[in-house]
Amino acid sequence: MSTKPSIGQGEIIEVALELAAQYKWRDITLSQISNIVGISLSQLISFFPSKNALVVRIMEDTTRAVVNNTDQDNIYESPRDRLFDILLRRIEVLSPNKIAIKSIIQEISSSPVDALCLAPELFKQFRNTLEVVGFDSTGLSGQLRVHGVAAIYIAALFVWFRDDSNDMGKTTAFLDRRLKPVSNT
């Protein structure tokens, strides 16, 4: 009896990102992804019941990659500097898939329903990010901080999409300007 090797969720994400780099995210279907991966649509849906579930996994993977590589030696830097660093590293993690991420973000930003559905996950990821760099994300002031930093990050992504420099100079300058008012109070 021959069985196909188990397909990992990472492979599904890779295929989704490859497709998003070639086509508009709105034109990609779960059926297309399952066909390319070589699994049934029902198998794919058991991992990712929607395209938004794929986006959530990309957000989680990005946060995990950045948090796991956060250097504890920079504990003596200001929280603002650590936040600046971690936001830039989030973008660096996404860099190999820049075209795909642009396709996905442009679609989400033009779909209020998708944006609304994904907002709680985005805020969760930024709560985790803020806590890692030493900002409190609890209470009303914490929630405002989470929402503000998430908005700055999303705006930085749109700058990054147009930033063709090797050092992400425009993106770095944008983040630096926008994070100046951020404080830990």
Side-chain angles (χ1 to χ4, degrees):
M1 181 165 133
S2 167
T3 60
K4 183 176 171 117
S6 168
I7 300 296
Q9 293 179 24
E11 186 177 346
I12 295 168
I13 295 296
E14 284 179 33
V15 167
L17 288 168
E18 288 171 13
L19 287 170
Q22 297 173 26
Y23 308 102
K24 291 182 179 180
W25 183 244
R26 75 174 141 249
D27 297 335
I28 300 166
T29 66
L30 291 178
S31 181
Q32 287 174 305
I33 296 168
S34 69
N35 287 336
I36 293 170
V37 172
I39 61 175
S40 69
L41 181 57
S42 64
Q43 287 175 301
L44 177 71
I45 289 172
S46 72
F47 293 122
F48 300 105
S50 67
K51 289 191 331 187
N52 281 347
L54 291 163
V55 174
V56 167
R57 174 63 183 270
I58 293 166
M59 284 192 276
E60 291 170 344
D61 288 351
T62 302
T63 299
R64 191 175 306 107
V66 170
V67 168
N68 287 345
N69 291 315
T70 297
D71 186 3
Q72 294 305 313
D73 292 337
N74 71 0
I75 197 159
Y76 299 107
E77 293 179 1
S78 72
R80 185 263 182 215
D81 289 343
R82 291 194 309 263
L83 178 60
F84 175 79
D85 179 60
I86 208 166
L87 292 179
L88 274 179
R89 284 190 289 124
R90 287 185 74 89
I91 294 172
E92 288 169 358
V93 166
L94 297 174
S95 286
N97 296 301
K98 184 176 184 176
I99 295 168
I101 298 302
K102 181 178 180 180
S103 174
I104 293 167
I105 298 295
Q106 286 178 328
E107 173 62 22
I108 291 168
S109 67
S110 68
S111 170
V113 172
D114 287 333
L116 196 57
C117 290
L118 289 166
E121 184 61 34
L122 177 72
F123 297 141
K124 176 180 145 191
Q125 298 307 317
F126 277 93
R127 265 192 306 282
N128 295 339
T129 299
L130 285 168
E131 291 291 338
V132 165
V133 297
F135 282 101
D136 182 16
S137 67
T138 60
L140 179 59
S141 63
Q143 288 303 309
L144 291 172
R145 188 174 292 117
V146 167
H147 289 230
V149 170
I152 289 168
Y153 176 73
I154 290 169
L157 287 177
F158 281 95
V159 172
W160 174 59
F161 296 151
R162 296 182 311 272
D163 187 349
D164 294 330
S165 64
N166 290 333
D167 64 353
M168 295 192 312
K170 293 175 186 173
T171 307
T172 301
F174 176 86
L175 278 173
D176 188 50
R177 281 191 314 274
R178 294 306 184 274
L179 291 177
K180 285 211 185 287
V182 173
S183 72
N184 200 23
T185 58

